[in-house]
Amino acid sequence: MLDRGMHFQPEEDDPKRVELSRGLPDGVVRATISYHREGGFRGTRVVPRSEAEFAQLTESGGPDSPRSNAAVRLTLSEAKDYLAQVQRRIEDLEDEIKRRHEAVDLVCSCSGRQRSYLGVLGFVVGHRRMLTDMPQETSQRVVDQHAYQCDQCGSMLFFAAGILAHPLPGGPSSRDRR
C-alpha cells in the first residue's frame, strides 16, 4: 500500500485528527491538524470535524529547521485550505514520480528484451585524500545502486536511490526470478 502521507483518525469522512508526513511546506517534517471545540478540562476538547469550532495545527521541523512544535489556532476554512495545499503538493510529487518512471527505458539496446531487477548492489568507491599529511591514503565509501540486468546478454543499468521506488514497473522483481 502506498503511503499517501495523510492519515485520518479515526476516519477520513469526519476525522478528529489528521497526521501529515508528505507534501508539507519547506522545513516541515511532520504536521498534525486536530479539530477542537470549547469545553473540557483543558478549555478545549478534540472532536470530529463536523462538531468542531476551530482547528489546531502543530508543525515539527527537521534538526536544522526553525519550526517548532508550537500549536497554531486555525479557522476551519484555514485548516481545509492547508489540507488542500498538502494534497496538491502530494499529487504534484506523484505526477513527477510517474513522469520519471515513464521516462526510464528498461529495454536492452542489444537484445531488445526487458531488463529485470536484481536488487541493491553496493559499490566500494575510493578517492585519494588530498587534505591530509598522507595523500597516498585513500578514502572509501559504499555507494548503493539499484541494478537491472538483461537475461540474454547480461548488460546492466544502475540507478542511485532517490525519488523512484524500485523495482521500476515493467520488469519482474528479483523474487519473480527464483
Side-chain angles (χ1 to χ4, degrees):
M1 186 174 146
L2 179 66
D3 178 20
R4 299 271 309 155
M6 298 177 78
H7 302 282
F8 298 88
Q9 298 172 357
E11 58 191 34
E12 188 172 348
D13 295 337
D14 196 18
K16 290 183 177 183
R17 178 173 283 112
V18 182
E19 293 181 4
L20 308 164
S21 59
R22 293 178 65 205
L24 297 166
D26 290 337
V28 178
V29 176
R30 223 177 16 251
T32 303
I33 293 180
S34 54
Y35 296 95
H36 296 263
R37 76 175 305 130
E38 299 297 333
F41 292 117
R42 294 183 171 173
T44 67
R45 60 188 178 140
V46 178
V47 295
R49 180 173 46 203
S50 61
E51 301 172 20
E53 297 171 354
F54 65 95
Q56 187 171 325
L57 170 66
T58 306
E59 293 179 328
S60 302
D64 299 331
S65 174
R67 304 263 185 172
S68 67
N69 288 333
V72 177
R73 187 174 177 151
L74 303 174
T75 65
L76 294 177
S77 64
E78 289 172 334
K80 183 179 178 182
D81 291 343
Y82 188 90
L83 288 174
Q85 290 173 6
V86 168
Q87 182 64 36
R88 246 188 328 275
R89 285 189 205 104
I90 290 171
E91 289 169 0
D92 290 346
L93 179 62
E94 288 174 353
D95 289 344
E96 176 67 14
I97 291 170
K98 183 179 176 185
R99 186 187 65 74
R100 289 186 184 191
H101 272 204
E102 291 170 350
V104 174
D105 184 13
L106 295 177
V107 176
C108 177
S109 58
C110 300
S111 67
R113 294 181 61 169
Q114 188 80 11
R115 289 184 175 95
S116 54
Y117 186 64
L118 291 179
V120 177
L121 302 178
F123 291 93
V124 177
V125 178
H127 58 86
R128 290 182 184 245
R129 293 184 188 178
M130 298 304 285
L131 303 174
T132 67
D133 329 356
M134 313 281 271
Q136 68 274 16
E137 290 182 11
T138 60
S139 174
Q140 295 181 344
R141 64 186 175 103
V142 175
V143 177
D144 290 332
Q145 297 282 307
H146 293 275
Y148 293 82
Q149 182 179 29
C150 175
D151 294 334
Q152 185 173 351
C153 71
S155 69
M156 297 183 76
L157 282 177
F158 297 100
F159 296 91
I163 194 169
L164 298 178
H166 289 269
L168 293 171
S173 70
S174 57
R175 281 179 264 129
D176 297 338
R177 295 183 62 188
R178 291 183 192 160

